[in-house]
Amino acid sequence: MLLLIQYMLIFASILILVALGGCFSEHSGVINLGLEGIMVIGSLGGALAMKYLPLTIPAVPYVLLVILCAIVFGVAYSSLLGVASINFKADQTIVGTALNMLGTAGATVAVKAINTAANPNDVSSIIQYINPKKKFLINMGGFEFNWFMLITLIVLVVAYVVLYKTRFGLRLMACGEHPQAADSVGINVYKYRWAGVLISGAYGGLGGICYILAGVSEWRFEYGAAGFGFLALAVMIFGQWKPHRIALAGLLFGFFRALSNVYFGFPFLVKLNIPGNIYNMMPYIISLIVLALTSSRSRAPKAEGIPYDNGQR
Amino acid sequence: MKNKDSKFANIMKTDGMQSLISSLICIVLGLFLGYIVLLFINPTGAFKAITDVMKNFFYYKGSTIRLKYFGNTLVKTAPLLMCALSILFSYKVGLFNIGCSGQYTAGACTALYAALKWNWGWFPCLVLAIAMGALAGTLVGVLKSYCNVNEVISGIMLNWIILYGTNTILTNVKELASPYTLLVKKYSPQSILPSLGLGKLFSNNQYVTIAVPLSILIAVAVMIVLNKTKFGYELKATGFNKNAAKYCGMKEKRNMILSLLISGALAGLGAAFFYLTGYEQWECTTSTVPGMGFNGIAATFLGGLNPIGTIFSSFFIQHITIGGANVDKTMYCSQISDLISALIIYLCGFVLFLKTFMKNVIRKREVKRTGKYENFKQDGR
Amino acid sequence: MAEQYAIEMLNITKRFPGIIANDNITLQLRRGEIHALLGENGAGKSTLMSVLFGLYQPEEGEIKKDGKVVQIRDPNDANDLGIGMVHQHFKLVECFTVLDNIIMGVEPTKAGFLQKKEARQKVLALSEKYGLKVDPDALVEDITVGMQQRTEILKMLYRENEILIFDEPTAVLTPQEITELMQIMRNLKAEGKSILFISHKLAEIMAVADRCSVLRKGKYIGTVDTDKTSIEELSAMMVGRNVNFHVEKKPAEPGDVILEVDGMTVASKVHKNNAVKNVSLKVHAGEIVCIAGIDGNGQSEFVYGLSGLEPLVSGRILFKGEDVTKASIRQKSVMGFSHIPEDRHKHGLVLDYSLEDNLVLQTYFQPEYTNKFGFLRRDNIRKKADELIEKFDVRSGQGAVTSARSMSGGNQQKAIVARELDKDPELLIAVQPTRGLDVGAIEFIHKQIVAQRDAGKAVLLVSLELDEVLDVSDRILVMYEGEIVGQFDPKKTTQEELGLYMAGAKRMEVQA
């Protein structure tokens, strides 16, 4: 049971982080379908940090450095979306999809290059982080507390405050709802859309490193993020683009994702003798159902997906 | 001289020409960026590696073996072309069928299961694959038109659901000692697509079957449907302007679902075109959705959203993907091709910008030449 | 010393490929005056304002503020100079509150955090001072158009703008709200604000403005004092010739009932109430029935319900005695409905299709254009397109194959009219068929509509322009808040009488 909660919280953390990323981007008016790719690149940044940082660094700065690295990678990578969709008015769906493919392919090429350079016989795309991982965990009586759970909570509160209590949030949301109105009062729509995209890159990168640290102690980069970026988008839609509701949605989805990791710990579930693949499908099936039930009355930012062109004012 | 000049300008003005130029720019830039990445990894072999990627079957010595590998490229081009057509077909209605991979997987699942479990002939296997692909596509369409679910997200969700489902189902027909499905050729030879002597043309490449010419015929058929028929007229009208389509009485929801149904059918057929050649077995523990559907996106946009264009772009994408396997593994990895494909898709996002840019240049030249503005009147709204 | 002007735009010229939008225009706004800018659609008013706001840079000319030359590169520069504008289409974020919309762009903050309390006090004070009633905490999507406009005005006042520009502010208002707005404008003037009032409504200009500058086809015609001019003179300046506004037509000879609507109710997409409430009416063969009303009183929704674009909550539609309430859009179209839609870009055209493909948008499925195997008969489509282009004088760059997007608005509208009339309909529904067109095109379309009537067709015209309503129609129905509140004979009524009903000040029982 404790294990279920532990997994639920860690998966929920990933989903909430990434969904908040999508939330910032969409509130600024840019649909970010490339979150999956951003997660992969973010996790690459974090994994590389864990590979090269000496383990002698104490836990807190170590964790912060790894996270910082993931964020920097995520932000840098999301700028590809920004350039294409904001400055060149490209189709956001195509660019997002390209970023997903580019993320996995790029990370695989990079890790393989690093591995092969170190040892010509090693053509794998795996990075191991058995020892570094321990720095992220605190064992509390059988419950593995992961720093990311706390970070998510903090980041969630920050997101809420930024969106609803600050000038930045007000202007950001105006750009996603009615960019012409924002522009007419002197708000630079391009700037705020860039901010939205880069913040989503930061959140995505954070979610990415959290994702590869969640269960295992090594990561094969060919696997990408297994649709987690898209699950996060489902969480975001279910959460109606509002941080507090995203948190609840994330917990729900996290629960179903956790089931597939721990169902064998529950005798009655084992007795049902359902193939493991069914549990694997669960989060995706649930999200489809949830989307089918909620999408028709969802209220997305009005101007999302529409490139802003100040020549058409 | 002046005449020649305007002839050139006229060709440049056509949309097809601009698409072709944009696509070529994307390819050149994509390869160039790929080369830069290779340079970063290891400068000594980078040039050889990028040429190996582009050479593909020319990498080998001797025309016999080259022909054989050329055949292999064609074998893999057929399913990719089907996926590209699948994405193209729904894109014309304004929908982005990223669920193509899942529909492809569904087709693979049913084709292999029917072949290995029930020992069906190739034709019923093909039909079943089409049906399953169509079913998966329809589901996306229904969710979109009746529940307003974004087709990209539902497509991705279905990809994973179908992947795990396929793994579960195909475990029943896999080899005992490995995660791979049984060999179709060995256990159900009647399920293998007929070659009709095509294999002989490619140094007895047994995998070259009717799938190759059929896929090209289907591309032509898709073009005819889109450009010459009432159905195509309706689909494109819906894609361009949903409201106008509704206003003039087109059944917009039905058209959306129908186009995704056909889209899914094409993807399912693509999978049958591949797995019923026996070229590859399904790995029942795979945890990634087949890349065919995603590469199809690259082929679709690189082909300028034109069915005939996708024939060439599919071949090109497959050409460099297989070519990627030839790079020197002690320095580089074969995923460099995936990277290039992804870069090309990314660059395709800029095609609209490129075209507008070209149109502006032409317009300026025209205005300069004739001194007239009339033909380029601003929208007078 | 020369006269002091708040803002001067001197000899402004702005060209676009194909047109000279502003040709040597001079506009001088005195301090503390209400100055009207008059011109038809396409006369260059919007371009001139875009130049003033730095959205466009003029090729020639200069702008002076208080006699000093200023550079305006973007809207921020204009803001800094104290220039504010109420746009024709409000620039309000619908899911924000009134207060958020007012402070947006000049938010009072402490370390980045919003300080809404002081902002609210300032807004309430301003609202008191100028009689601008608003609820600062209401969401914009929930409030009336009038309050939205007051929000826009408060936006300018909150920024302490001295020069206020109103772009066609009365188009969306009821006559009462218009009267209120005029009073507000006078209050603002009394407080020393300088106001530029853009309009093409002569009566309003005469009522509120001190002076009026007139533009026509991108050229500056002149500036006159309103107390030394007349509506007739302004009108002549605006259109350049004494236009025969009156449409020549024979008396109507109404025949059988073609369309009967019985108790139609349509839900609103904007608010929770019904947009159309229990409307009943009849249209006979050989008559033009016009639905008049202020924009947004349910006319659009009524037509959507009639054509099938929106579902009915209740009610029946009879066509030549047959119940077609449940018929699809296509079925109605085939039976003899034609529909010139309100928004030609949203509904009327597939802009990325060629002109010829647009001309068969309602008929492509007929055996003439699609053979029994489902293939389009391109030769017949071309033939029909060429015929219609010739007959209706639709002008385009490359004839039938021109992309609809590249055509001018007037020719786009002509193409739609051609398509809808060529169907030889029994019932023509025309919604604002002349919106945004020049005088020549308007005359042409009016003639076509009257010709339909004379051929014994039923015509239902929806219009916001009272001139059009009075000139073209044989019978007028006034719609107010989703209900028919009056029926008139155009020969026996006046603009003033219609205005009272359109504003909801009076109503009568109307039998369908």
Side-chain angles (χ1 to χ4, degrees):
Chain A
M1 195 62 202
L2 213 51
L3 203 61
L4 179 67
I5 292 174
Q6 177 194 320
Y7 272 108
M8 177 176 107
L9 285 180
I10 192 69
F11 284 127
S13 298
I14 304 164
L15 289 169
I16 292 169
L17 286 172
V18 182
L20 286 175
C23 178
F24 270 96
S25 173
E26 299 217 353
H27 271 309
S28 79
V30 180
I31 296 181
N32 190 349
L33 288 177
L35 278 170
E36 182 112 353
I38 292 172
M39 283 176 75
V40 173
I41 296 295
S43 65
L44 174 70
L48 289 178
M50 290 191 286
K51 190 178 167 79
Y52 293 117
L53 282 177
L55 278 167
T56 46
I57 300 175
V60 172
Y62 188 91
V63 165
L64 287 178
L65 276 173
V66 169
I67 287 173
L68 185 70
C69 215
I71 289 179
V72 167
F73 270 60
V75 168
Y77 191 60
S78 68
S79 66
L80 287 180
L81 174 68
V83 173
S85 64
I86 301 171
N87 299 87
F88 286 92
K89 300 166 188 36
D91 184 317
Q92 296 173 9
T93 310
I94 300 174
V95 174
T97 307
L99 287 193
N100 291 336
M101 296 170 66
L102 198 58
T104 310
T108 310
V109 168
V111 175
K112 282 193 176 182
I114 290 165
N115 284 348
T116 313
N119 173 7
N121 295 323
D122 183 1
V123 292
S124 75
S125 61
I126 296 173
I127 291 183
Q128 287 189 335
Y129 39 82
I130 302 161
N131 288 323
K133 195 189 167 193
K134 288 175 187 150
K135 294 193 185 272
F136 285 84
L137 304 172
I138 298 172
N139 203 323
M140 302 195 296
F143 179 81
E144 269 187 358
F145 174 79
N146 191 316
W147 277 113
F148 281 108
M149 297 170 192
L150 181 65
I151 291 169
T152 304
L153 190 67
I154 295 169
V155 156
L156 182 70
V157 173
V158 169
Y160 183 87
V161 171
V162 165
L163 275 180
Y164 296 115
K165 300 289 173 203
T166 68
R167 172 164 72 188
F168 176 81
L170 186 78
R171 292 183 171 191
L172 185 84
M173 289 196 286
C175 291
E177 290 286 339
H178 196 335
Q180 288 79 14
D183 190 86
S184 75
V185 293
I187 294 170
N188 186 337
V189 177
Y190 295 111
K191 200 176 98 187
Y192 277 86
R193 289 204 163 175
W194 262 105
V197 168
L198 294 182
I199 292 174
S200 86
Y203 277 75
L206 196 55
I209 184 64
C210 181
Y211 176 68
I212 66 164
L213 278 166
V216 287
S217 309
E218 59 170 39
W219 191 252
R220 183 189 288 272
F221 278 87
E222 277 157 80
Y223 287 168
F228 250 75
F230 288 93
L231 277 178
L233 286 176
V235 166
M236 176 192 73
I237 295 172
F238 189 38
Q240 293 289 298
W241 292 265
K242 294 189 174 86
H244 52 291
R245 295 182 63 166
I246 285 175
L248 295 176
L251 286 171
L252 177 76
F253 279 59
F255 171 76
F256 283 104
R257 179 62 184 80
L259 266 188
S260 70
N261 278 52
V262 295
Y263 70 92
F264 40 79
F266 294 87
F268 71 96
L269 285 178
V270 176
K271 240 183 236 159
L272 288 174
N273 202 15
I274 301 167
N277 275 332
I278 302 289
Y279 290 101
N280 286 333
M281 282 186 216
M282 270 304 217
Y284 307 104
I285 294 176
I286 299 291
S287 76
L288 257 193
I289 294 170
V290 162
L291 287 175
L293 294 179
T294 56
S295 287
S296 52
R297 53 198 163 81
S298 69
R299 204 187 169 301
K302 273 209 188 93
E304 72 168 19
I306 308 164
Y308 182 66
D309 184 350
N310 65 10
Q312 290 175 350
R313 288 185 278 211
Chain B
M1 182 62 212
K2 201 181 170 194
N3 197 3
K4 203 174 166 187
D5 193 55
S6 70
K7 210 176 201 173
F8 174 73
N10 275 336
I11 294 173
M12 284 299 294
K13 253 196 267 184
T14 60
D15 196 59
M17 194 63 197
Q18 289 173 4
S19 301
L20 182 64
I21 293 175
S22 313
S23 295
L24 290 176
I25 292 175
C26 289
I27 290 178
V28 171
L29 270 178
L31 288 171
F32 179 70
L33 290 174
Y35 176 59
I36 304 246
V37 171
L38 290 173
L39 277 181
F40 261 103
I41 296 172
N42 192 335
T44 48
F47 189 72
K48 184 178 178 305
I50 197 83
T51 45
D52 285 348
V53 168
M54 283 190 282
K55 268 176 165 168
N56 181 10
F57 47 85
F58 289 111
Y59 174 81
Y60 303 97
K61 300 236 157 44
S63 64
T64 321
I65 189 159
R66 276 183 181 176
L67 212 52
K68 185 153 190 160
Y69 277 93
F70 178 47
N72 281 353
T73 308
L74 290 180
V75 169
K76 294 192 88 172
T77 300
L80 182 65
L81 175 55
M82 299 309 294
C83 287
L85 291 172
S86 158
I87 288 157
L88 180 143
F89 205 86
S90 48
Y91 199 78
K92 290 286 178 187
V93 208
L95 297 173
F96 190 53
N97 184 21
I98 204 169
C100 174
S101 281
Q103 293 142 18
Y104 177 85
T105 310
C109 172
T110 43
L112 285 174
Y113 196 79
L116 296 170
K117 190 81 179 177
W118 301 323
N119 294 323
W120 285 9
W122 62 271
F123 190 70
C125 286
L126 215 63
V127 172
L128 191 66
I130 292 174
M132 277 314 283
L135 188 69
T138 309
L139 190 53
V140 175
V142 169
L143 284 170
K144 172 79 184 182
S145 34
Y146 291 102
C147 307
N148 190 29
V149 180
N150 181 320
E151 77 277 8
V152 175
I153 298 178
S154 66
I156 295 278
M157 297 299 141
L158 272 175
N159 284 352
W160 290 98
I161 295 171
I162 292 171
L163 177 75
Y164 288 120
T166 299
N167 283 346
T168 313
I169 291 169
L170 289 186
T171 305
N172 294 317
V173 290
K174 77 175 184 71
E175 293 170 342
L176 281 176
S178 82
Y180 291 95
T181 50
L182 300 168
L183 283 170
V184 181
K185 186 117 202 163
K186 195 164 153 201
Y187 288 88
S188 178
Q190 71 275 24
S191 311
I192 292 283
L193 291 170
S195 165
L196 296 183
L198 285 170
K200 294 213 174 67
L201 297 176
F202 296 92
S203 317
N204 282 325
N205 186 331
Q206 52 165 330
Y207 303 117
V208 181
T209 62
I210 54 166
V212 175
L214 268 184
S215 63
I216 292 171
L217 281 181
I218 290 168
V220 175
V222 165
M223 190 183 72
I224 291 173
V225 167
L226 285 176
N227 293 337
K228 306 275 177 204
T229 68
K230 186 183 89 169
F231 182 51
Y233 177 88
E234 287 197 358
L235 287 186
K236 286 191 291 180
T238 313
F240 284 137
N241 185 346
K242 223 161 68 172
N243 293 312
K246 191 175 176 193
Y247 150 82
C248 69
M250 294 173 186
K251 295 200 171 51
E252 144 227 6
K253 284 186 179 174
R254 191 203 64 167
N255 283 345
M256 265 191 200
I257 296 174
L258 214 54
S259 80
L260 275 167
L261 181 149
I262 293 173
S263 192
L266 290 168
L269 180 60
F273 274 174
F274 187 54
Y275 287 96
L276 294 182
T277 61
Y279 189 88
E280 223 170 69
Q281 296 152 278
W282 182 270
E283 186 194 344
C284 297
T285 52
T286 182
S287 58
T288 49
V289 181
M292 203 63 92
F294 295 113
N295 281 331
I297 299 168
T300 308
F301 289 105
L302 194 57
L305 290 166
N306 175 316
I308 306 302
T310 47
I311 300 178
F312 297 100
S313 59
S314 301
F315 179 78
F316 173 77
I317 297 284
Q318 207 52 264
H319 182 80
I320 60 165
T321 306
I322 297 179
N326 297 336
V327 296
D328 186 348
K329 297 284 177 2
T330 58
M331 286 188 270
Y332 311 108
C333 65
S334 59
Q335 273 83 3
I336 189 73
S337 305
D338 293 346
L339 187 75
I340 294 172
S341 299
L343 281 168
I344 287 174
I345 302 184
Y346 179 72
L347 292 167
C348 282
F350 294 82
V351 162
L352 185 71
F353 171 80
L354 275 175
K355 279 190 180 176
T356 324
F357 179 75
M358 279 189 258
K359 286 203 174 88
N360 282 342
V361 170
I362 292 169
R363 175 182 300 191
K364 273 197 192 124
R365 281 175 50 123
E366 192 93 336
V367 168
K368 222 182 213 169
R369 200 162 55 86
T370 60
K372 276 197 284 189
Y373 291 100
E374 275 89 83
N375 292 346
F376 306 106
K377 218 169 192 163
Q378 286 244 322
D379 207 54
R381 201 171 168 196
Chain C
M1 192 176 158
E3 195 169 5
Q4 270 294 331
Y5 290 107
I7 204 95
E8 290 174 278
M9 300 182 76
L10 301 170
N11 308 100
I12 300 291
T13 296
K14 174 71 201 168
R15 296 188 193 90
F16 291 111
I19 33 171
I20 303 177
N22 284 168
D23 187 0
N24 192 19
I25 290 177
T26 293
L27 181 71
Q28 293 170 307
L29 176 64
R30 286 182 193 147
R31 280 218 194 106
E33 75 164 342
I34 300 181
H35 190 119
L37 181 61
L38 173 68
E40 281 194 286
N41 288 307
K45 293 173 293 184
S46 322
T47 308
L48 190 64
M49 288 307 110
S50 300
V51 168
L52 182 56
F53 271 84
L55 298 177
Y56 298 135
Q57 298 305 316
E59 273 86 29
E60 288 159 36
E62 59 184 13
I63 299 173
K64 283 185 184 171
K65 165 106 199 291
D66 299 329
K68 281 193 284 289
V69 177
V70 288
Q71 290 295 323
I72 303 180
R73 276 171 236 91
D74 58 48
N76 291 345
D77 288 349
N79 270 330
D80 295 343
L81 292 171
I83 307 173
M85 177 153 165
V86 176
H87 296 265
Q88 192 178 357
H89 303 285
F90 300 150
K91 308 253 178 190
L92 297 173
V93 180
E94 297 207 322
C95 63
F96 281 10
T97 63
V98 168
L99 183 65
D100 284 346
N101 268 292
I102 291 172
I103 62 173
M104 195 168 85
V106 287
E107 307 86 345
T109 52
K110 228 178 240 163
F113 288 92
L114 295 170
Q115 304 296 317
K116 288 195 192 171
K117 211 179 249 169
E118 48 187 274
R120 173 196 305 274
Q121 272 155 11
K122 189 170 167 189
V123 167
L124 287 175
L126 283 171
S127 141
E128 184 91 355
K129 182 173 173 192
Y130 293 96
L132 294 158
K133 258 196 304 182
V134 292
D135 172 5
D137 300 313
L139 294 180
V140 166
E141 59 196 1
D142 294 335
I143 63 179
T144 63
V145 175
M147 197 185 280
Q148 291 180 1
Q149 190 171 59
R150 293 197 286 276
T151 306
E152 284 281 17
I153 297 171
L154 279 169
K155 252 165 94 173
M156 297 192 296
L157 298 174
Y158 186 86
R159 288 163 173 73
E160 287 161 6
N161 288 335
E162 290 301 316
I163 297 156
L164 312 180
I165 300 169
F166 289 80
D167 186 7
E168 308 257 354
T170 58
V172 290
L173 300 183
T174 64
Q176 278 83 357
E177 284 175 324
I178 292 175
T179 320
E180 242 174 82
L181 174 68
M182 303 251 165
Q183 191 51 49
I184 290 168
M185 285 166 74
R186 290 191 196 101
N187 292 350
L188 292 166
K189 178 181 145 184
E191 292 287 331
K193 310 274 185 192
S194 314
I195 295 176
L196 195 56
F197 172 46
I198 304 170
S199 180
H200 61 261
K201 293 186 180 167
L202 302 170
E204 290 166 7
I205 290 175
M206 293 300 283
V208 73
D210 300 311
R211 296 195 303 152
C212 175
S213 292
V214 186
L215 302 186
R216 187 202 314 150
K217 294 198 170 146
K219 288 199 169 66
Y220 172 66
I221 302 301
T223 303
V224 290
D225 290 342
T226 47
D227 51 11
K228 291 190 196 113
T229 187
S230 63
I231 286 197
E232 288 72 25
E233 191 194 348
L234 283 179
S235 161
M237 286 174 81
M238 174 169 75
V239 293
R241 61 190 163 104
N242 282 322
V243 186
N244 183 7
F245 275 127
H246 196 67
V247 181
E248 293 297 333
K249 62 179 209 252
K250 296 180 297 210
E253 293 163 16
D256 300 335
V257 175
I258 297 292
L259 173 74
E260 183 176 353
V261 176
D262 184 19
M264 184 200 282
T265 299
V266 182
S268 167
K269 293 224 147 171
V270 193
H271 50 77
K272 288 171 197 78
N273 295 331
N274 289 324
V276 180
K277 297 164 195 156
N278 195 25
V279 166
S280 301
L281 57 81
K282 283 186 183 127
V283 185
H284 298 79
E287 73 165 343
I288 300 174
V289 174
C290 180
I291 297 181
I294 313 267
D295 198 9
N297 272 285
Q299 304 99 313
S300 308
E301 289 85 353
F302 174 73
V303 172
Y304 290 162
L306 193 58
S307 61
L309 284 167
E310 291 285 336
L312 302 189
V313 174
S314 64
R316 282 196 317 153
I317 303 167
L318 301 178
F319 181 69
K320 295 205 282 185
E322 196 184 327
D323 191 333
V324 294
T325 315
K326 295 243 149 49
S328 69
I329 297 175
R330 175 63 52 82
Q331 282 164 339
K332 285 183 197 159
S333 164
V334 173
M335 286 169 100
F337 277 58
S338 259
H339 176 190
I340 299 172
E342 180 181 355
D343 187 334
R344 58 176 165 263
H345 288 182
K346 185 174 176 195
H347 287 118
L349 295 168
V350 178
L351 287 173
D352 294 297
Y353 265 180
S354 63
L355 175 57
E356 61 177 353
D357 282 356
N358 272 295
L359 286 170
V360 294
L361 204 56
Q362 297 279 20
T363 46
Y364 66 93
F365 52 89
Q366 302 281 15
E368 202 184 340
Y369 306 118
T370 299
N371 70 17
K372 60 182 179 220
F373 305 109
F375 284 86
L376 293 173
R377 302 174 65 168
R378 281 274 159 212
D379 45 343
N380 285 355
I381 292 175
R382 176 64 54 85
K383 225 173 12 190
K384 172 56 80 180
D386 286 340
E387 179 198 321
L388 289 179
I389 289 169
E390 168 85 37
K391 191 169 154 198
F392 287 84
D393 189 30
V394 184
R395 291 183 202 165
S396 59
Q398 296 121 29
V401 294
T402 317
S403 150
R405 191 180 287 286
S406 69
M407 290 163 56
S408 72
N411 283 303
Q412 289 176 342
Q413 186 72 11
K414 276 189 191 169
I416 295 173
V417 171
R419 178 182 76 209
E420 297 303 319
L421 296 188
D422 184 63
K423 270 174 68 194
D424 200 16
E426 298 271 348
L427 169 68
L428 173 65
I429 305 165
V431 188
Q432 298 193 50
T434 57
R435 180 158 86 167
L437 300 189
D438 61 39
V439 177
I442 291 175
E443 274 180 355
F444 175 82
I445 288 172
H446 282 168
K447 271 189 194 138
Q448 295 294 331
I449 291 173
V450 173
Q452 287 294 309
R453 179 201 75 164
D454 291 344
K457 314 296 165 114
V459 180
L460 183 67
L461 175 70
V462 177
S463 179
L464 306 176
E465 302 290 335
L466 280 182
D467 293 332
E468 182 169 85
V469 171
L470 286 165
D471 286 343
V472 180
S473 64
D474 299 317
R475 186 151 62 90
I476 300 168
L477 296 171
V478 174
M479 205 166 192
Y480 173 72
E481 295 206 327
E483 292 175 294
I484 303 283
V485 295
Q487 173 167 278
F488 304 90
D489 180 341
K491 290 190 221 57
K492 294 183 191 141
T493 186
T494 58
Q495 296 217 2
E496 290 68 34
E497 187 184 19
L498 290 178
L500 288 173
Y501 285 83
M502 285 160 62
K506 284 172 93 173
R507 63 185 295 157
M508 59 166 96
E509 279 305 309
V510 181
Q511 293 294 319

